[in-house]
Amino acid sequence: MKTYRRLLRYLRPYVWPRFTIAVVGMVLYSSTNGVMPYLVRGVFDDVFLHKREWALRMLPVLIIVVFLFRAAMAFSQSYLMEWIGQRVIADVRSQLNAHFLRLSLSFYNRTPTGTLLARMTNDVELLRSALTDAVASVMKDFTSLVVLVVVAFVMDWRLAMIAVVAFPLTVVPMLRLSRRLRKFTRKGQITLGKLATLLQETIQGNRVVKAFGMEDYEIRRFDEESTRLVGLYMRAARIKAFVTPMMEVLASFGIAGVVWVGGQSVLAGGRTPGSFMAFLTAMLLLYGPFKGLTKTNNVVQQGLAAAGRIFEMLDEPSDVVEKSGAAVLGGFTDAIRFENVSFRYEAEPVLREIRLEIRRGEAVALVGRSGGGKSTLADLIPRFYDATSGRLTIDGHDVRDFTLASLRAQLALVTQFTFLFNDSVRNNIAYGDVGTSMERIEAAARAANAHGFIEELPQGYDTVIGELGVKLSGGQRQRLAIARALLKNAPILILDEATSALDNESERLVQEALERLMAGRTTLVIAHRLSTIRHADRIAVLDRGRIIEEGTHDDLIARSGEYRRLYDLQFRNEPRAAAGGG
């Protein structure tokens, strides 16, 4: 009930007037079911038995009026509930999307993308069914049930008692089946998320799949998960398929009792055929909404399972929280300082007591073996993660004292894994300032050595570049990312392996663009190619989460420590470069 009460909150914005009008329409539509037995009695008794002509003239007109009224009410409530349902879907998806965007990177590290997509699509649709469709069905069927029960007891309370005796017998099995149905639905949704994750991986990693000849393996993996999903759905389908026949069998005992007792009464002259047929009509109509309520229960159980999963996501806390009353970082004037900063993802520390200062206007490089913590250290500056201990300051103030928006407004980021959107070149460059002018976009592209190749694209700056920029080369994607950072014009720049995996020509163009980007900015460079950071103001060497060396390129070469070892390993086949570096 707690979950369903929370679910009902999504209806509040639409209670007046649309939901109210829809409810009135449902009640009026359902109430007309009580008229049907009286129409049947009029046909049998007034027309067939007593042969009253006025009844023959009036009843067809009355039947048409009643059904026109029902049609109008059915249309209004159906359309309005669909309208409300679609708005609810939009609201829930919007809330989920906003929450996803505010969660920290650690959440995405542990949650498959397919799971998030399943929540956003299938779970939300099931939630809508449980909310709007179920509410509509309950209002409509419950009203019909009440009206018809009242009519039945008014017509003949003895026969009514016989007819409804089967209803209580359904309660216990319905409760048990409901719990099982919710359990299977929840498992099915989890499996569907896994299936979506597999599909996403094989689509995005299609080149690797083909290169290693793993198509058959991936097909088997997908089919196994799909078969598991079918099994769960069929177990749920068995429960849903069992409910209606069970209801009909139980109902048959009540109807059979009514026919036996009522039939004997008609033969004995205690009842007219019309009154008996009217009562029987009420009974047949009565079991319709009762079966409808049991089907609605199935929908509700599936929706509650989906709602539980959605609310789990919405209740997921972010590891990075903006403090109440956080200050706005208006600019950057002094230095970034890591003061005994340590960080761990889970049990194993990634960074250990980092002490590092990056002064305004400096270019500081981080080098070291893979897994040493370089990217994690850089991720602490924009608060993609928060330090486990110690503190990180900008101009002497803890970064946690600033609003996230104002902190990240001071930063631009270019990484090895360039992320571009399936949008136009223009919109990708202007991503940080979507309302900017074409002149500024083009100026940024020129400074990033990107204008030339953009002009050669089929639609120039309006060319859509595909998912992750798949229509462009690696160097072209990197230059668009640099243009995006140039346009943002932030005072602090983070370059994470920005020139790795490029050919010589692309690297030259990207390096030229990076030098323009770095000019006048405070820059933290994470580099694998040591040749690209020889002119950094300072170089810090990370090993197993600690800074073990720090100095200029020449200082570190002269110390013959870890930096010198890394440098010699990288350039041992290039003696001239190594000699020149000394």
Side-chain angles (χ1 to χ4, degrees):
M1 284 303 296
K2 183 180 178 181
T3 301
Y4 204 78
R5 281 198 300 270
R6 184 174 177 181
L7 196 54
L8 287 172
R9 294 174 193 169
Y10 290 99
L11 277 179
R12 285 179 185 172
Y14 310 108
V15 167
W16 180 261
R18 288 181 174 84
F19 184 72
T20 304
I21 295 172
V23 168
V24 171
M26 286 180 238
V27 170
L28 293 175
Y29 173 86
S30 302
S31 299
T32 57
N33 281 330
V35 179
M36 303 301 178
Y38 292 101
L39 292 176
V40 170
R41 188 172 66 180
V43 170
F44 275 87
D45 284 353
D46 292 332
V47 177
F48 295 161
L49 184 62
H50 300 298
K51 304 186 186 309
R52 293 170 179 154
E53 291 188 16
W54 64 265
L56 183 59
R57 290 194 298 270
M58 186 181 69
L59 282 172
V61 175
L62 190 57
I63 289 170
I64 292 173
V65 169
V66 169
F67 277 90
L68 282 175
F69 179 78
R70 284 168 60 86
M73 294 302 100
F75 173 81
S76 63
Q77 65 89 12
S78 178
Y79 176 80
L80 289 172
M81 291 306 291
E82 182 64 27
W83 186 94
I84 293 168
Q86 293 302 323
R87 295 308 186 277
V88 167
I89 284 180
D91 292 345
V92 174
R93 284 181 178 157
S94 178
Q95 189 178 0
L96 272 174
N97 180 61
H99 187 65
F100 288 161
L101 290 173
R102 293 189 179 100
L103 289 171
S104 56
L105 291 188
S106 58
F107 169 79
Y108 293 99
N109 293 341
R110 63 178 182 266
T111 309
T113 303
T115 298
L116 303 182
L117 294 176
R119 298 287 198 281
M120 187 71 80
T121 53
N122 206 53
D123 281 357
V124 172
E125 183 61 41
L126 286 175
L127 180 149
R128 182 197 73 87
S129 297
L131 188 58
T132 57
D133 293 355
V135 168
S137 178
V138 167
M139 293 296 298
K140 186 169 61 177
D141 291 333
F142 183 74
T143 303
S144 293
L145 198 63
V146 170
V147 169
L148 289 168
V149 167
V150 170
V151 168
F153 273 89
V154 168
M155 284 184 166
D156 195 319
W157 67 269
R158 292 180 182 85
L159 289 180
M161 291 295 293
I162 296 171
V164 301
V165 71
F167 289 180
L169 301 177
T170 65
V171 174
V172 173
M174 281 296 299
L175 291 175
R176 289 181 178 175
L177 291 172
S178 295
R179 285 194 291 270
R180 294 185 66 194
L181 181 61
R182 191 186 306 185
K183 182 180 72 173
F184 291 141
T185 300
R186 186 175 181 83
K187 288 182 177 179
Q189 293 304 99
I190 292 171
T191 303
L192 185 63
K194 293 178 182 178
L195 199 67
T197 298
L198 280 176
L199 185 61
Q200 182 205 13
E201 287 179 345
T202 52
I203 290 173
Q204 289 190 337
N206 190 260
R207 181 176 295 184
V208 176
V209 173
K210 291 183 184 304
F212 286 85
M214 295 297 284
E215 292 93 340
D216 291 341
Y217 171 76
E218 293 298 341
I219 289 169
R220 282 197 305 275
R221 278 214 306 167
F222 185 89
D223 288 347
E224 285 170 5
E225 205 65 42
S226 182
T227 300
R228 190 175 296 112
L229 181 62
V230 169
L232 287 167
Y233 278 175
M234 290 312 299
R235 291 168 80 178
R238 251 194 320 268
I239 294 173
K240 290 187 287 185
F242 176 73
V243 169
T244 298
M246 178 189 72
M247 290 298 307
E248 289 180 349
V249 169
L250 290 173
S252 69
F253 288 97
I255 294 173
V258 168
V259 171
W260 174 257
V261 175
Q264 284 186 328
S265 178
V266 170
L267 292 175
R271 289 181 179 84
T272 64
S275 63
F276 174 68
M277 289 303 299
F279 185 87
L280 193 59
T281 301
M283 286 303 94
L284 294 173
L285 291 173
L286 180 66
Y287 284 108
F290 193 71
K291 286 193 296 183
L293 288 172
T294 61
K295 290 181 180 178
T296 299
N297 179 64
N298 294 338
V299 174
V300 169
Q301 297 309 317
Q302 290 178 303
L304 287 176
R309 286 158 49 83
I310 289 172
F311 292 151
E312 282 176 9
M313 282 293 175
L314 290 174
D315 294 338
E316 179 78 28
S318 177
D319 296 334
V320 176
V321 180
E322 187 175 286
K323 67 190 296 185
S324 177
V328 174
L329 177 58
F332 172 57
T333 58
D334 180 24
I336 302 169
R337 294 184 179 89
F338 292 80
E339 302 174 1
N340 294 320
V341 168
S342 297
F343 177 79
R344 66 179 70 231
Y345 285 112
E346 293 178 354
E348 187 67 23
V350 180
L351 299 174
R352 307 165 191 261
E353 299 179 347
I354 298 295
R355 298 181 186 87
L356 179 66
E357 181 179 67
I358 308 170
R359 292 182 288 273
R360 184 175 180 271
E362 275 191 323
V364 174
L366 297 177
V367 300
R369 286 178 288 189
S370 296
K374 302 184 295 296
S375 294
T376 301
L377 187 149
D379 284 343
L380 295 180
I381 300 176
R383 289 191 69 195
F384 293 155
Y385 307 98
D386 275 339
T388 306
S389 62
R391 69 175 197 153
L392 170 61
T393 67
I394 292 181
D395 294 345
H397 299 282
D398 194 312
V399 292
R400 288 170 287 203
D401 293 335
F402 300 118
T403 64
L404 289 170
S406 66
L407 170 65
R408 292 169 183 171
Q410 305 300 316
L411 299 160
L413 179 67
V414 180
T415 68
Q416 171 187 0
F417 304 103
T418 302
F419 189 93
L420 297 174
F421 296 88
N422 185 23
D423 203 343
S424 66
V425 171
R426 178 205 308 263
N427 290 340
N428 270 283
I429 294 175
Y431 189 69
D433 186 4
V434 292
T436 195
S437 66
M438 190 60 209
E439 289 74 16
R440 290 190 66 227
I441 293 171
E442 188 172 319
R446 289 182 185 277
N449 286 340
H451 179 73
F453 82 79
I454 293 172
E455 288 285 274
E456 295 174 357
L457 294 174
Q459 285 82 41
Y461 282 85
D462 293 320
T463 302
V464 176
I465 59 177
E467 187 177 5
L468 301 177
V470 69
K471 296 180 183 179
L472 304 178
S473 69
Q476 289 171 336
R477 290 196 294 269
Q478 201 72 307
R479 280 176 277 167
L480 284 192
I482 294 169
R484 183 167 61 194
L486 279 162
L487 188 67
K488 188 175 183 182
N489 197 28
I492 301 171
L493 177 64
I494 298 173
L495 304 177
D496 189 351
E497 303 278 13
T499 60
S500 65
L502 297 177
D503 59 69
N504 291 336
E505 176 63 18
S506 295
E507 183 180 355
R508 181 185 65 79
L509 292 170
V510 169
Q511 192 63 44
E512 287 178 5
L514 287 174
E515 287 171 4
R516 296 192 190 103
L517 178 60
M518 293 168 64
R521 290 182 171 83
T522 304
T523 308
L524 179 64
V525 183
I526 299 170
H528 172 70
R529 295 188 184 184
L530 302 185
S531 60
T532 63
I533 48 98
R534 287 167 55 183
H535 301 296
D537 295 299
R538 276 180 298 122
I539 299 170
V541 182
L542 264 71
D543 184 57
R544 297 178 184 177
R546 297 184 186 273
I547 294 180
I548 58 173
E549 291 179 338
E550 186 178 348
T552 65
H553 170 78
D554 292 338
D555 290 341
L556 294 176
I557 289 292
R559 290 182 200 174
S560 297
E562 177 67 11
Y563 181 80
R564 178 61 186 254
R565 189 188 72 81
L566 292 171
Y567 193 82
D568 288 345
L569 280 173
Q570 194 167 121
F571 291 99
R572 60 188 172 188
N573 295 324
E574 301 178 43
R576 292 183 184 177

